[in-house]
Amino acid sequence: VNVSNTIEIVNRYTFESVATINSGLSNPRYIAFSNGKGYVTNWGSGSDATDDYVAILDLATNTLASNTISVVEGPEEVLAINDKIYVAHQGGFSQNNKISVIDAASDAVSKTIIVGDVPNSLQVDASGNLWVLCGGKPSWTGNETAGQLFKVITSNNTATSIDFASTEHPNFLKIQNSDLYYYLGGALYKMNSAETTL
């Protein structure tokens, strides 16, 4: 709950409260799980590019670790693939174009991947590839950029992309079997993940 800087933990079957975490958070956004830990993205102040971090939640005790993982501005969606945590950086109140890769064994950033502007969705396919949908900078910024769809080979973190038109800003990427789905301009689009064009 980012406005009140809390995490509410409930039993998934009864929806009864298990625990509330209300310290150590600053605008928490999303969470992913790996190696008995939860990784929680935190904006800090949306207008401060230096206070963003990922908090580490011990799932056995429902407590936050005293250490955090400092990351670049605007961490949003987060996804665990094997022992790696991928964090999309939309940019807080501005725009960003990076994916942080965190090693879940050392809890440290091991690599930064440059993608398109405003990465808004992360998905993983059956082969373990990471898909990143970037919305691009909106027109109101005065520096509008096109959306892009990136495929990242997670074994070596190399990326390839497909470009949208200059005024197209896609969102909400999902994967079902070998098909990609995304939202754009009031419509839902579907494409096979083996395609090289939209």
Side-chain angles (χ1 to χ4, degrees):
V1 187
N2 72 314
V3 174
S4 59
N5 293 321
T6 62
I7 295 175
E8 299 290 347
I9 304 170
V10 299
N11 182 293
R12 66 184 293 184
Y13 301 107
T14 66
F15 218 64
E16 293 176 316
S17 178
V18 173
T20 300
I21 299 169
N22 53 19
S23 63
L25 301 167
S26 183
N27 284 324
R29 305 296 294 165
Y30 291 85
I31 188 170
F33 304 96
S34 180
N35 296 342
K37 295 174 284 188
Y39 292 84
V40 185
T41 55
N42 284 260
W43 268 20
S45 169
S47 56
D48 186 342
T50 65
D51 66 347
D52 305 63
Y53 65 94
V54 174
I56 306 165
L57 174 63
D58 184 328
L59 300 180
T61 62
N62 292 327
T63 57
L64 290 177
S66 58
N67 61 307
T68 60
I69 305 166
S70 183
V71 294
V72 297
E73 186 177 13
E76 282 276 338
E77 283 209 24
V78 56
L79 182 67
I81 303 176
N82 299 320
D83 60 348
K84 299 285 190 259
I85 309 299
Y86 292 84
V87 180
H89 297 274
Q90 286 196 48
F93 290 157
S94 58
Q95 294 81 41
N96 212 331
N97 64 345
K98 296 176 176 66
I99 302 292
S100 291
V101 184
I102 296 170
D103 188 319
S106 64
D107 289 335
V109 175
S110 59
K111 186 174 181 64
T112 301
I113 303 170
I114 305 300
V115 291
D117 293 321
V118 194
N120 58 47
S121 309
L122 301 177
Q123 293 287 295
V124 60
D125 65 23
S127 299
N129 300 308
L130 174 69
W131 291 85
V132 183
L133 186 63
C134 303
K137 293 180 183 179
S139 60
W140 58 260
T141 64
N143 186 26
E144 185 173 14
T145 57
Q148 292 178 286
L149 177 63
F150 279 78
K151 178 182 180 180
V152 179
I153 307 301
T154 54
S155 59
N156 57 17
N157 291 321
T158 58
T160 57
S161 66
I162 304 172
D163 295 343
F164 286 79
S166 60
T167 59
E168 292 183 329
H169 305 287
N171 209 333
F172 305 115
L173 178 69
K174 295 294 180 185
I175 290 181
Q176 176 66 26
N177 298 322
S178 61
D179 291 320
L180 305 173
Y181 296 82
Y182 60 89
Y183 175 83
L184 175 64
L188 184 66
Y189 290 82
K190 172 185 176 182
M191 64 178 281
N192 189 278
S193 60
E195 295 295 331
T196 56
T197 59
L198 298 171

